[in-house]
Amino acid sequence: MTRSVQQYLYLLVLLGNSVGTCGLLFNVTDNGQGFVVSINNIQLLEHTKSSPLLFVGLGLTLFPEDSGNFFIEDYTSARIPLADYNITCDQTSCVLRLSAGETWVSLLLKSERSQPLVLSIQDSSHDFDRTWLRVKAATNEEIYGGGEQFSYFNLRHREENKENVFPIWVREQGVGRNKSTMTTFMADIQSRAGGDYHTTYFPQPSFISSRHFYVHYDGFNYAELDFSHEDFHEIYVLGEISRFYFNTGDNLQELVSDLTSFLGKLPELPDWIMRGAVLGVQGGTQVMLDRYNYAKSFGIPVASLWIQDWSGKVEMPFGKRVNWDWTWDPSWYPGLDSAVRNLTLDGVKVMVYINPYLREGGHLYTEAASKGYLVKNSTGGVYLQRSVTLVFASVDLTNPSAFSWYKNVIKTNMIDFGFGGWMADFGEYLPVDAKLFDGRTGLEAHNEWPVLWARLNRETVEESGKLGDVVFFMRAGFSGVSNFTTLMWNGDQNVDFSLADGVRSTMYGSLSMAMSGVGLSHFDIGGYTTVSQLGLVRSAELLLRSAEMAVFTPIFRTHEGNQPEANVQWYSNTTTAAFARLARQFALLKDYRKSVVAQVSRVGIPAMRPVCLEYEGTPATATQYLFGPDLLVTPVYTENVKDILVSLPLTKGYTWIHIWSGTAYQGGQTVNVAAPLGEPAVFYRSDSAYSSSFEKLRAESSEVNSIIG
């Protein structure tokens, strides 16, 4: 819902105990002791003596880091409630002064960029280093967003009160992400790499409420979103605060569309990546071509071959790692230039891999270091870091010369080579004590780093005239990353069915991103993180359950994992035929998928969307999702499942058709349907313009339960 600034505060006038105009109202309460700020009758901010709007304080915050895992230690020594207030207004804005003795803050309230309420600090006593802003809450209110959250869809869940606080800090998501599991315990013991319920590559300081409003904080500071209280939500910001944006809408879909438009819409994906599988293969040119021919022999429609090891390999205890020196390794991939040309003629793109780091001792590292293009440490030397045992340095993305140099690396070594796209990995590791070219510290720039990395990739593609043809996908993000990236992916999940870090967590991640304004995401089919020593290896069942879910997403891409030899792969003898059927199903949905992806770019409605976004009033859950408006998907997240319960949204004028049996069901009921391997519980609207495409999928369906075990 777009409104002009003039509709809000331009006609601001004093109305007795209220200050207001079209849509926005400042209402004095408690005989002048408090106030409430509302937009379109939705109460957003409330101030009383006993529960002030704003707190300020002092303390110490530390960010120790190990391989991109940050262990934040936040100590508050003083927290001051600013209970006293006065307000003055003119025709365009209001200034709200909040104080407690000698400590005070002046807040500016105005409208801008079609946002009805923008709140920022105009001035202050400057004797504090942290701020807490409260937003009014309601008892049964649900909260969505926060960037990419893997553990909860409703961030105001009540299973465990302690897990309602979400730190906003870019970092590794962590292995296992559940402190009570052996996987996470061992990851912590061995390399401090175990995650927690809140750790994520892509946090975002914004949220959407079931009461039909959103709040977005546009700074890059460390922050926390606290949804543990009944009467208010609290946003904690470390350091000097930037602006808070508030908006309301008539429904959740309108809010998501507005937030997406405000933060930036992703471009449409090219046709080629939606017409078949993106097969993750590695091991050299001949292995790549052998895998391709093997795929064709089973009728797998191949859109791309993704070779992350195009620059060579290095041995690591965690498994083989890509050589972070972004130049074609002809000894590892002999004749790759010719192979890329021939595959392109065959309608198949070759995709590769890059990140913002350079391996110590590599050719590009040496060149960048000699030019002063690498992030510096406190003594002015190159800041060396580790990813497990790989030693590397970061290109300084705040240095315009380094930025241009790295863009030229991508143009020359990747785009001009003929590659169709790449994984733009990482972006989470910038240490807080780094010294940057633009004068900032790593603490000040850390959360912005993945956005700068995305901008570098996007500008490279655009300057090469390849936007709409070349695709790059990212895992790290922050507010505004959708302005630059062409696609997101969920990162490194475990190769298992675990709730916290397995196949199910990818849906939580995608749906929370959907509610944060990022509507195009996908995941590694079969997961990535493999720890064979603990028995954490990919089974055939997991691979195929993951693949059958990917059929109903924007992209169908596999990954061999960090220990390929330990995992069942799509090219394993027992799985290829079943995998091929699923890949063909994906290809059959191309026309529908194109229409869904176009909607993301045009109006900001996500491709994979929570059911409540289309059917408000239905339970907000991440166990089901809609792919576009016409397909309802209930994936299988656990082992040895033969049937599954599906909640069908209440509809008017159409029914839900079970895609595999053709049986029609009335909406508004829960049904139990068969869900054998290869046939997840998927329904389509009987009035869909793409019904004939959905019906074609039945011809490719087949039960493959015999391979389980």
Side-chain angles (χ1 to χ4, degrees):
M1 178 165 52
T2 301
R3 302 180 178 92
S4 67
V5 171
Q6 286 80 5
Q7 283 182 283
Y8 287 102
L9 288 168
Y10 184 73
L11 298 176
L12 198 68
V13 293
L14 185 64
L15 303 172
N17 285 333
S18 300
V19 176
T21 185
C22 178
L24 189 145
L25 184 67
F26 188 108
N27 189 52
V28 178
T29 62
D30 264 353
N31 295 318
Q33 299 302 300
F35 59 84
V36 175
V37 178
S38 305
I39 301 176
N40 295 321
N41 299 316
I42 298 175
Q43 295 186 350
L44 298 175
L45 303 174
E46 182 177 39
H47 178 89
T48 66
K49 288 281 189 179
S50 60
S51 181
L53 171 69
L54 202 72
F55 293 70
V56 296
L58 291 167
L60 175 67
T61 307
L62 303 175
F63 297 86
E65 178 264 347
D66 187 347
S67 296
N69 298 284
F70 286 82
F71 314 97
I72 300 168
E73 302 168 7
D74 193 47
Y75 307 96
T76 295
S77 56
R79 177 177 159 116
I80 305 168
L82 303 184
D84 297 325
Y85 85 95
N86 64 66
I87 184 168
T88 58
C89 297
D90 58 25
Q91 288 185 322
T92 61
S93 64
C94 290
V95 175
L96 173 64
R97 183 182 170 100
L98 299 164
S99 62
E102 298 299 316
T103 301
W104 58 272
V105 172
S106 288
L107 297 178
L108 179 65
L109 285 72
K110 62 177 183 177
S111 299
E112 64 179 54
R113 293 183 63 190
S114 302
Q115 302 297 303
L117 176 59
V118 183
L119 183 153
S120 60
I121 287 185
Q122 185 184 59
D123 198 3
S124 73
S125 57
H126 302 291
D127 53 357
F128 55 89
D129 68 356
R130 56 201 60 212
T131 307
W132 294 263
L133 176 72
R134 289 184 173 180
V135 177
K136 188 171 176 58
T139 301
N140 296 319
E141 183 178 9
E142 296 188 345
I143 296 295
Y144 322 114
E148 182 178 25
Q149 297 294 335
F150 293 101
S151 296
Y152 302 104
F153 176 61
N154 172 20
L155 304 185
R156 203 169 181 243
H157 63 94
R158 286 296 181 262
E159 290 90 338
E160 292 185 56
N161 195 55
K162 66 180 181 180
E163 295 192 349
N164 286 267
V165 180
F166 296 87
I168 304 301
W169 188 255
V170 175
R171 56 180 134 178
E172 285 273 5
Q173 72 160 21
V175 177
R177 304 184 68 259
N178 186 331
K179 294 301 185 185
S180 66
T181 65
M182 181 59 68
T183 299
T184 301
F185 174 78
M186 293 303 298
D188 278 333
I189 291 295
Q190 293 176 1
S191 57
R192 304 183 73 191
D196 209 338
Y197 76 93
H198 56 76
T199 49
T200 175
Y201 312 106
F202 177 11
Q204 183 171 293
S206 60
F207 59 88
I208 287 180
S209 166
S210 60
R211 291 198 294 123
H212 294 168
F213 71 87
Y214 72 66
V215 182
H216 173 69
Y217 173 68
D218 78 341
F220 295 108
N221 322 48
Y222 172 70
E224 293 178 1
L225 304 179
D226 183 350
F227 305 114
S228 61
H229 306 280
E230 288 298 320
D231 300 328
F232 60 86
H233 314 305
E234 194 165 71
I235 306 170
Y236 162 59
V237 178
L238 178 66
E240 184 176 348
I241 71 169
S242 185
R243 292 162 295 181
F244 295 89
Y245 292 86
F246 297 81
N247 205 345
T248 63
D250 294 332
N251 52 61
L252 291 176
Q253 192 168 109
E254 182 180 282
L255 280 169
V256 169
S257 179
D258 282 356
L259 181 62
T260 304
S261 297
F262 181 58
L263 296 177
K265 296 175 184 174
L266 283 79
E268 289 190 36
L269 293 170
D271 284 359
W272 65 262
I273 201 168
M274 294 187 285
R275 67 179 178 227
V278 177
L279 298 178
V281 298
Q282 54 190 326
T285 307
Q286 194 56 52
V287 173
M288 176 187 73
L289 295 175
D290 288 346
R291 297 276 189 251
Y292 174 54
N293 290 324
Y294 184 72
K296 287 201 300 182
S297 72
F298 278 84
I300 296 175
V302 180
S304 174
L305 298 170
W306 175 51
I307 51 170
Q308 63 173 356
D309 61 340
W310 69 289
S311 56
K313 285 273 197 172
V314 290
E315 291 284 348
M316 295 285 161
F318 186 59
K320 291 181 179 179
R321 295 287 295 269
V322 173
N323 180 22
W324 294 3
D325 190 26
W326 315 117
T327 305
W328 166 38
D329 183 344
S331 64
W332 189 242
Y333 274 90
L336 180 61
D337 48 354
S338 298
V340 168
R341 287 193 295 270
N342 292 335
L343 287 165
T344 301
L345 292 174
D346 206 20
V348 175
K349 302 279 189 177
V350 176
M351 302 181 76
V352 288
Y353 173 99
I354 192 172
N355 63 46
Y357 313 132
L358 301 174
R359 179 180 60 80
E360 183 187 28
H363 168 73
L364 292 176
Y365 171 93
T366 302
E367 181 181 349
S370 69
K371 295 176 180 291
Y373 289 168
L374 301 175
V375 169
K376 302 294 192 297
N377 59 29
S378 58
T379 63
V382 174
Y383 203 126
L384 293 176
Q385 293 180 265
R386 292 181 181 272
S387 175
V388 191
T389 56
L390 191 151
V391 180
F392 68 92
S394 300
V395 176
D396 191 339
L397 303 179
T398 71
N399 181 336
S401 297
F403 199 86
S404 296
W405 173 81
Y406 213 43
K407 285 198 295 184
N408 192 59
V409 168
I410 297 176
K411 289 177 185 176
T412 303
N413 294 354
M414 296 163 63
I415 293 178
D416 292 349
F417 197 89
F419 296 131
W422 54 86
M423 174 186 282
D425 202 4
F426 288 99
E428 305 93 345
Y429 282 42
L430 185 68
V432 297
D433 58 341
K435 304 300 180 183
L436 303 177
F437 179 86
D438 68 357
R440 287 186 293 170
T441 65
L443 175 62
E444 295 167 310
H446 176 85
N447 279 338
E448 187 184 9
W449 212 247
V451 181
L452 295 175
W453 175 227
R455 181 165 71 87
L456 186 149
N457 283 270
R458 177 65 169 268
E459 288 183 8
T460 304
V461 172
E462 290 183 339
E463 290 168 10
S464 301
K466 294 291 186 177
L467 186 63
D469 181 29
V470 165
V471 175
F472 65 92
F473 51 97
M474 304 181 63
R475 71 175 192 182
F478 201 77
S479 310
V481 72
S482 54
N483 259 322
F484 304 111
T485 189
T486 58
L487 179 65
M488 297 300 293
W489 115 92
N490 292 119
D492 299 343
Q493 280 71 48
N494 287 353
V495 292
D496 65 8
F497 288 98
S498 63
L499 174 62
D501 199 18
V503 63
R504 181 171 177 172
S505 70
T506 64
M507 291 302 97
Y508 282 88
S510 293
L511 297 184
S512 61
M513 274 197 286
M515 299 299 276
S516 301
V518 179
L520 284 177
S521 63
H522 72 296
F523 53 87
D524 295 335
I525 291 175
Y528 170 81
T529 303
T530 309
V531 188
S532 58
Q533 303 92 316
L534 296 178
L536 181 58
V537 297
R538 181 192 298 153
S539 67
E541 182 183 10
L542 178 76
L543 175 71
L544 295 177
R545 284 301 191 191
S546 182
E548 69 185 23
M549 184 163 50
V551 169
F552 305 98
T553 67
I555 306 295
F556 192 86
R557 181 181 60 81
T558 69
H559 199 310
E560 291 185 322
N562 59 292
Q563 295 179 326
E565 65 285 347
N567 290 326
V568 172
Q569 307 289 355
W570 64 265
Y571 49 80
S572 301
N573 291 336
T574 56
T575 58
T576 307
F579 179 88
R581 294 187 187 97
L582 296 171
R584 289 193 292 269
Q585 289 174 5
F586 176 86
L588 286 170
L589 291 177
K590 179 189 171 186
D591 290 342
Y592 177 69
R593 183 173 293 104
K594 286 178 61 177
S595 72
V596 171
V597 168
Q599 189 180 31
V600 177
S601 299
R602 286 199 312 267
V603 296
I605 305 301
M608 298 168 65
R609 60 192 72 164
V611 177
C612 64
L613 199 62
E614 201 81 35
Y615 301 94
E616 279 207 52
T618 58
T621 175
T623 59
Q624 296 177 282
Y625 68 93
L626 290 161
F627 181 49
D630 295 355
L631 286 173
L632 175 68
V633 185
T634 306
V636 174
Y637 294 120
T638 54
E639 297 174 274
N640 301 316
V641 168
K642 298 294 191 291
D643 52 66
I644 194 169
L645 291 173
V646 179
S647 296
L648 300 173
L650 183 63
T651 60
K652 293 182 180 180
Y654 58 90
T655 58
W656 291 103
I657 309 297
H658 183 232
I659 204 164
W660 312 116
S661 67
T663 304
Y665 295 87
Q666 293 294 328
Q669 63 174 319
T670 298
V671 298
N672 188 63
V673 296
L677 203 56
E679 296 183 3
V682 180
F683 293 76
Y684 66 89
R685 290 172 45 150
S686 61
D687 64 344
S688 173
Y690 296 90
S691 295
S692 59
S693 295
F694 304 149
E695 289 163 3
K696 290 177 182 177
L697 267 63
R698 288 183 207 141
E700 292 291 346
S701 69
S702 176
E703 293 190 16
V704 289
N705 289 287
S706 60
I707 74 163
I708 297 178

